[in-house]
Amino acid sequence: MPSAVATHSHRPTTKVANKTFKSKKATKGALRDQAKGKVPNERGQRKTPHQQVMSKFDRRNQAKQRQLTKHKEHQKETSVFSGRDAAPRIIAVFPLCADGDVTATIRSLNNSLDIEAEVAEASFRVTVDRFKQKLQYIPVKRDITACMDAARVADFVVFVLSSEVEVDALGELIIRSIENQGMSTLFTVVQNLDKIQPAKARPDVVKSLASFMTHFHPGQEKVYNLDSRQECSNLMRSLCSTTPKGINWRDQRSWMLVDDIQWPYTENESTIFTGVVRGKGLKADRLVHVGDWGTFQIEKITAAPLPTKKRKDGMAVDEEEAENILETPDEDQDDLNELAPEEAKMDDVGLDDGMTEPLAGANKKGVLLDDHHYFSEEEREEYTAPKKLPKGTSNYQAAWFLDDVSDSESELDDEEMADAADDSIPAAPEDGMVGVAANEPTEAAMSEYPQSEIFVEPNEDDDAAQLEAYRARKRDEADEDKEFPDEIELHPNVLARERLAKYRGLKSLRSSPWNTEEDRPYEPEEWSRLLQISDYQSSRNRSIREALVGGVAPGTRVHVHLKGVPKELEKSYTPSRPIALFSLLRHENKKTSLNFEVTHKEDYERSIKSKEELIVQCGPRRFIVNPMFSTGGNTENDVHKYCRFLHPGQSAIASFMGPITWGSVPVLFFKRTSSSEDSEETSLPLQLVATGTARAPSTSRVISKRVILTGHPYHIHKKVVTIRYMFFNREDVEWFKALPLWTKRGRTGYVKESLGTHGYFKANFDGRINPQDAVGVSLYKRVWPRHARPFTGALIEEGGAFGSLGEAMDEDIQ
C-alpha cells in the first residue's frame, strides 16, 4: 500500500466571485438589517441648510434672490449719480509726459458730445444731457502732490500719454504712487497720434503704449485715441455709464471734494467748506482732516443746494431762504487731544526734592538674563579664600578656625584636604586657577586640562597689535559674507558693563519672557499716555460699523463749518490744487504705536537705514517720520528683532508713534535724495522707496535691538576653549558670565572662569569647535518708536528744491 504523500495544489483560477446585486427596491427587512438599528433622520444626513439637497425649484429661487440682492447693491452704488441734484462723477486727468496737454484732452472729450464748456484751471462741472449725467473734471499739472490728492477723490482716473515723447521718471513716479495709494477705475488716452507718419505705423505706437500700461496695470489693454471723435465718444459713454470700483479705505469713511472755501473775516467766525458728501454719511460729531492743513472740529453742517434756473414766467424757483442746518454736534463730539491726560505717578511722592530715582540695575552684580539677575543674591561680592576644615564642619564651627593657625595635627592628608576644600567652595566661575593660585604655577592639584599650557599674561603692546590684526581680518570676512550684521567691536579702554548697561540676555528671542519693568526708566514720557487697544479687531469693526448709519446722506451738497482753521492758510491756498475733506472715524486722532508691513521697492537700489527721515502717506494724511524696522511674524513673547537696514527686496515692520488709522490702509514711504545720491537713470529729488499696509497697532510690541560681541578661540582642548577679544577686563567677564555662548557653526556653551585681567576666559562647549570658528554672545535692549510730525507743502518743490527736509535726510540718527 503506497504511503500517503502531501501534494501541493494551487487555488482554482476559474472560480469567479461576482459582486452581490444591490436592488434599489430592497425589502424593509433588508433595509432594517443594513441600518443596524440606526434611526434615519427625516431631513436626511445633512444637518445645516447649506448641506441640504435642494430641489431644482429651490436652486432657481436661491439664484434669483442672489441676483436681486446684487442688483439692489448696484442701484445703491449708482443712486448717488442719478437724479436732478445728483453728485457729479469726478474725473481726474493726469499728464504723464512732458508735452501732455490736459486742457486739450478735456476739450476733445467734450467736443465729441457737442458740449460747449470753458475749460478752467481749477475743477469745474459739465452736464452731459445725452446720458443724463454730470461730470466734474479735475485738470492736474505734472505735480506729484496734486496728482495724489486728486486721485484720492476721483471716481475715474485718465492718464494722458504722448505719441512722440516717452514717459519720463516723473511720469513713472506718478503712476506708481497713485497705484500704491489706491485708485478707482482707470482709462488711458493718447494725444497727437495723427502726427505719426506714415499712417500704418500708428497701430504699432498704440500697441507699444498699451504694452507700457499693462506693465503697471495688467487690465489696461485699451488706449483711446483723442484724435478720433468716435473713440472719444466711446470714452465719454464709459465715463457716464460705468460704475466706479472705488477705493476700499476711502469708501469706509465720509469724504468730500472741496469746491469752494469761504474764509472768515474775524477769528471767532468759522471757515466754510463747500462740496458734495460722498462715501458714508457725514457726521458733525466726528473730526475732519482737510488736505495737509490738519484736523479740525465741525461747528455745524448746513445745506448748500445749487441755484436752479428761472421759469419761463420769470418767477424764480428757489429764492435765498434761511439757513437749513442739517446736523450739529452734541456731547459725543470728539476732541482734538492726541494723548491721554497726564496722571500723577505714585512712586514720585516718596522722593525728596534732592533725591533722584535709583538707576535700574544699580545694585545688581550681573546682566539680566530673561527675567532674572543671576549671581546677584547667591554670591558674595568679594572672594574669600577657602579654609582647610575637617569634613562635616558647619559654618558656625568654621568661625572658630583662625586663618593664621596651621592645622599640623590634623588627621587629614593632602588629598583629603583638597577634597574638603572643593566641597566647601560654591560652584562659581571665579573660583578658578587664576583667582586662587599664586603667581607661580604649582603642582598641588590635578590639572583639569593636562594637555593645555599654563596661561601667561600677554604683553599689552603685542596684545593690541594682535587685536588690530584680528579685527582687520574679521572686517574683511564680514564685508564678504555679512554673517554678523549686529556685531559691534568694543574699544579696549571702554567698559562693556557701562557701554551695554541697558542690554540684557535672552535664551530664546522668540520664547523667552521679556521683563518690562526693566524698561520703565527708559521709555518715552508720552508712552503711558498713548492709546491702548486690547482687541484691535473688535475696536476696528465697531468704529467702521458706527460710520454706516446716521449723518448727512451721500450726494448732498453741504456747507461744512469748521472751527479753529488758521487764518494763515488762506495765503497758501491755491484754487487750482484739489483740496479734499475726509471725516475721521472714532479715535483716529489719538496717537499710538503704529505698525506697517512694508516692502522695499525694487526700483530703489539703495538700502533704507532705520530711523532715517522719510515722508509717509497713510490714507488722507502725510507725516515726516523716522521709522524703526523690525522683523515681522507672530512670536510667543511678542518680541521682534530690530533691523538696522531694510535691504532691497526685503520686507519688515515699520513702527512709529502717530494717529491711528483703522483698517488695512495702504502706506507709501518717500525719500528726498540729494544730487549725489541720484542714479544715472533719474534726477528726481524724490523717490518712492517702500510701500506697505497698516497692521494692528500695539504698545506691548517689543522691538529688541541686538548686539553681538564676538571672540576668538585662543586655546582649544577638546570641549574647553580659551577665548579672547570678547572682553578686555576681568570685571566685564564676571558681569556677562551668565549669558550663553554660541558659535556660527552651531555650537553652544557657557563661561567657566575668567583668566587674568585682560578679559580672557575659559568656556565649555557641547562639542569640539573649529579653530576658524567665531564665538559670540547676544545682548538685547528695547528701542522705542519715534514721533511722527505733520507734513505740509509739496513733495517736490518747484525747481527741484528740497525744502526743510533736505539737510537732515542723510544724518545718522542714533
Side-chain angles (χ1 to χ4, degrees), residues 588-646:
E588 280 197 330
N589 191 50
K590 299 178 181 178
K591 284 189 175 183
T592 186
S593 179
L594 304 179
N595 300 314
F596 299 91
E597 184 178 356
V598 299
T599 303
H600 192 289
K601 294 293 290 183
E602 63 277 1
D603 301 334
Y604 186 66
E605 299 179 355
R606 296 177 178 269
S607 299
I608 307 172
K609 190 173 184 179
S610 191
K611 297 183 288 187
E612 189 176 13
E613 198 166 56
L614 302 174
I615 303 174
V616 60
Q617 174 173 311
C618 178
R621 295 179 284 204
R622 296 190 184 99
F623 305 102
I624 302 173
V625 298
N626 303 98
M628 286 190 174
F629 300 119
S630 59
T631 56
N634 297 325
T635 58
E636 182 180 347
N637 53 3
D638 203 11
V639 178
H640 306 267
K641 192 182 80 69
Y642 167 81
C643 300
R644 287 177 170 82
F645 288 92
L646 182 63

Side-chain angles (χ1 to χ4, degrees), residues 72 85 122 132 253 273 284 358 381 392 434 469 486 502 516 568 580 594-595 625 698 756 780 795:
K72 290 180 180 179
D85 297 329
K132 298 180 181 180
R253 298 159 175 82
F273 293 79
E381 184 172 357
V434 177
D486 300 320
K502 298 180 181 179
T516 57
E568 295 78 14
L594 304 179
N595 300 314
V625 298
S698 174
Y780 303 89
L795 294 173

Side-chain angles (χ1 to χ4, degrees), residues 439-453:
N439 293 332
E440 296 294 331
T442 61
E443 298 179 358
M446 294 289 294
S447 175
E448 187 178 358
Y449 318 110
Q451 299 182 6
S452 62
E453 299 179 357

Side-chain angles (χ1 to χ4, degrees), residues 80-142:
V80 70
F81 302 125
S82 59
R84 183 173 63 91
D85 297 329
R89 295 171 177 259
I90 303 175
I91 303 171
V93 185
F94 304 130
L96 300 181
C97 304
D99 63 342
D101 191 351
V102 177
T103 304
T105 301
I106 298 176
R107 190 178 294 110
S108 299
L109 295 177
N110 291 339
N111 292 338
S112 64
L113 297 180
D114 298 330
I115 299 175
E116 296 181 0
E118 182 180 356
V119 180
E121 294 183 357
S123 62
F124 63 98
R125 294 189 180 191
V126 296
T127 303
V128 184
D129 297 331
R130 179 175 177 181
F131 300 108
K132 298 180 181 180
Q133 292 290 321
K134 299 182 182 66
L135 302 181
Q136 184 172 2
Y137 292 103
I138 305 179
V140 184
K141 299 180 180 179
R142 281 168 51 86

Side-chain angles (χ1 to χ4, degrees), residues 288-300:
V288 293
H289 186 84
V290 181
D292 292 335
W293 294 350
T295 305
F296 307 98
Q297 287 181 320
I298 296 179
E299 182 179 347
K300 59 183 177 181

